[in-house]
Amino acid sequence: MILLVKAIYLVTAAVLITALVVGGVAYYLLRPTPSAEANVVEIYHWWTSGGEAKAINALVDVFKAKYPDVAVIQSPVAGGAGYVFQAVIKPLVLAGEAPDAFQMHAGYEGKPYYDGGYLDSITSLWNDQKWANVIPKVVQDMVKFGNEYYAVPVNIHRVNVVWYNKAVLTNKGIDPNTLTTWDAFFAACDKLKTAGVASPIALGDSGAWAATHVLEQIIASEGIDFYQSWVNGKVTSATDAKLLDALTKFKTYLSYVNTDHSALTWDQAIAKVIKGDAAFSVMGDWANGEFYVANKVYGTDYGTFPVPGTEGMYGLVIDCFQHPKGVKHPENSLNWLKVVGSKAGQDAFNPIKGSISARTDADTTKYGAYQKAAIADFKAATHMFPSVTHGSGAPPTFAAKLNDIMSNFVTNKDVNAAAAALTQATKDASADYTTVWSL
Ligand code: BGC
């Protein structure tokens, strides 16, 4: 009897222990996986140059201070203007694998995601945060589809800027204030060449977009009406006089650039200006971030002026983040957006990035001399225009062809062929010009 009880006891104990072990193993195996459970926010962007990386880290630091329990996973994809990034992010979004938020330009760039139903409306977040009170209407309109908000702007960049090395110009007797026309600008380039500056203009167009960027500014210099027609898909004649003139000017521009331009990135071109190997470079004001990390002083070491013929115009590039549908960490994604749109976040990011805050209540004491001037120019601008090179102004179906057309042009300098290709691309995309810009 005792033996029987003992046996029953042992069997019961064994069953219990087995159950505990099996239960424990099952619990371990079936527990939520760390990646689903972990308190993280994953963001994708293309900010990898010296100034860009420092700026996004400053924004992440603001987030970390506010949400210390959340780890920020940055997935940067190198390649200026996102020319590599776009090819990486699109398949992820379309496969339902979007990160918690990703860098995106305001305007047309988000349209395919909106059309495909890949983005959540964040109108209620905009209302909670009262962003409409502090973000200019021109910017708000560029992050809306239908009547809803779909993105949060972190900045306003300016595209129509010439960067110059002050010592190079001073040494050769060139006054940058006089370079308000293309004739004056090219005459200055000639003077520099004669004085021994082999390549007065620095260009770094690996990925082609930096060449497209320059052509876009020359198109703007043909006048706001022409630019407006261009972004509204109305420049469809290959013999359009202004288009041919813009391409001809770009051809002249290319005759002054460094021979290794297609092997260099945009920031390597800016480094040439910083060093004094070149006098000028046309680039968006993310270039200011490179001068910033090189400890150069605006007004002393370097300066800027509007691209000739674009005085009073402000070419817009606006970086944003959004809330993709079905993200792994929806709450952290929303909190990331809150920081992106916040005064503290923007005033940490933009002074390094070179852009101005997308908010009118920025603490301007935190911004350097270049940006103080940009803030004044933004307020006084007679016309603002959306960049096509940087995703905002024209449909992606058109924009996607631009870099190839420009890369051919930079090689063959064939004005008529480029005009034909550009206008054909506009015609091919005619159904996609859904925004009517009034600039
Ligand atoms: C982005 C900037 C970025 C630049 C160069 C632009 O398209 O808007 O934020 O710094 O590309 O990478």
Side-chain angles (χ1 to χ4, degrees):
M1 184 63 189
I2 291 174
L3 271 180
L4 185 64
V5 170
K6 206 172 177 180
I8 291 171
Y9 176 77
L10 282 176
V11 168
T12 310
V15 167
L16 270 176
I17 289 167
T18 311
L20 277 175
V21 171
V22 170
V25 170
Y27 172 78
Y28 179 79
L29 290 176
L30 296 176
R31 82 200 192 288
T33 61
S35 65
E37 190 186 56
N39 203 3
V40 303
V41 64
E42 190 180 15
I43 53 164
Y44 274 52
H45 59 76
W46 65 83
W47 290 318
T48 56
S49 77
E52 290 175 328
K54 207 176 163 77
I56 181 62
N57 287 338
L59 181 60
V60 166
D61 285 347
V62 175
F63 181 89
K64 281 187 190 156
K66 214 156 185 295
Y67 303 100
D69 298 337
V70 183
V72 181
I73 302 177
Q74 294 190 48
S75 298
V77 180
Y83 86 95
V84 181
F85 178 90
Q86 302 299 348
V88 171
I89 197 73
K90 202 169 268 164
L92 284 179
V93 178
L94 267 50
E97 289 295 327
D100 296 313
F102 60 93
Q103 186 187 352
M104 184 177 89
H105 291 123
Y108 270 109
E109 196 168 289
K111 180 114 192 330
Y113 300 132
Y114 163 74
D115 287 343
Y118 296 103
L119 303 180
D120 281 332
S121 160
I122 48 168
T123 301
S124 58
L125 180 68
W126 267 76
N127 293 340
D128 292 348
Q129 301 297 309
K130 301 191 172 41
W131 284 328
N133 296 342
V134 288
I135 294 180
K137 184 169 182 305
V138 61
V139 179
Q140 287 185 45
D141 289 347
M142 288 171 70
V143 293
K144 276 180 175 173
F145 294 112
N147 279 329
E148 303 278 325
Y149 292 96
Y150 281 91
V152 183
V154 68
N155 63 2
I156 302 172
H157 269 304
R158 185 181 195 179
V159 280
N160 54 320
V161 187
V162 182
W163 302 84
Y164 66 83
N165 180 301
K166 197 155 180 211
V168 173
L169 294 194
T170 308
N171 291 345
K172 311 296 180 204
I174 293 166
D175 176 1
N177 295 322
T178 62
L179 308 181
T180 55
T181 64
W182 285 111
D183 283 349
F185 182 74
F186 291 142
C189 290
D190 286 332
K191 191 168 177 183
L192 287 161
K193 266 194 144 172
T194 309
V197 182
S199 312
I201 305 175
L203 176 65
D205 62 338
S206 71
W209 68 271
T212 312
H213 182 109
V214 176
L215 175 72
E216 174 182 298
Q217 310 324 311
I218 300 178
I219 289 179
S221 78
E222 296 286 335
I224 198 68
D225 291 344
F226 181 66
Y227 195 92
Q228 181 175 296
S229 298
W230 188 53
V231 288
N232 284 339
K234 303 285 185 235
V235 179
T236 51
S237 163
T239 56
D240 186 291
K242 285 186 189 281
L243 182 61
L244 292 175
D245 187 62
L247 285 161
T248 306
K249 282 184 175 130
F250 187 34
K251 184 173 170 175
T252 307
Y253 183 99
L254 289 170
S255 68
Y256 297 107
V257 307
N258 42 299
T259 49
D260 58 351
H261 61 88
S262 60
L264 301 187
T265 57
W266 69 270
D267 48 316
Q268 288 174 320
I270 294 300
K272 279 182 181 285
V273 179
I274 292 176
K275 273 196 245 144
D277 293 344
F280 306 114
S281 191
V282 169
M283 188 40 65
D285 56 12
W286 42 91
N288 202 58
E290 301 310 301
F291 288 97
Y292 177 90
V293 292
N295 293 317
K296 298 297 173 191
V297 178
Y298 187 72
T300 304
D301 301 315
Y302 71 106
T304 61
F305 53 90
V307 163
T310 69
E311 174 84 48
M313 294 164 71
Y314 210 102
L316 301 171
V317 174
I318 296 158
D319 293 302
C320 332
F321 288 88
Q322 66 305 86
H323 195 264
K325 252 196 179 69
V327 290
K328 292 198 181 70
H329 312 97
E331 193 185 330
N332 293 345
S333 168
L334 284 177
N335 288 339
W336 170 254
L337 296 183
K338 280 185 203 161
V339 170
V340 163
S342 69
K343 183 170 149 92
Q346 301 215 357
D347 285 347
F349 177 75
N350 290 305
I352 305 171
K353 188 65 171 58
S355 31
I356 61 174
S357 175
R359 301 176 55 120
T360 50
D361 62 350
D363 178 356
T364 51
T365 61
K366 297 200 164 127
Y367 291 76
Y370 165 72
Q371 287 149 311
K372 287 202 170 86
I375 292 167
D377 286 353
F378 181 80
K379 282 192 192 142
T382 44
H383 298 286
M384 301 203 181
F385 65 92
S387 170
V388 173
T389 313
H390 303 276
S392 301
T397 41
F398 171 77
K401 294 186 184 158
L402 256 184
N403 287 348
D404 281 348
I405 298 171
M406 279 306 105
S407 130
N408 286 340
F409 181 72
V410 164
T411 314
N412 63 25
K413 319 262 190 336
D414 186 335
V415 167
N416 292 319
L422 284 169
T423 48
Q424 189 56 47
T426 300
K427 285 188 263 188
D428 292 346
S430 62
D432 301 328
Y433 284 85
T434 48
T435 301
V436 179
W437 297 100
S438 182
L439 308 175

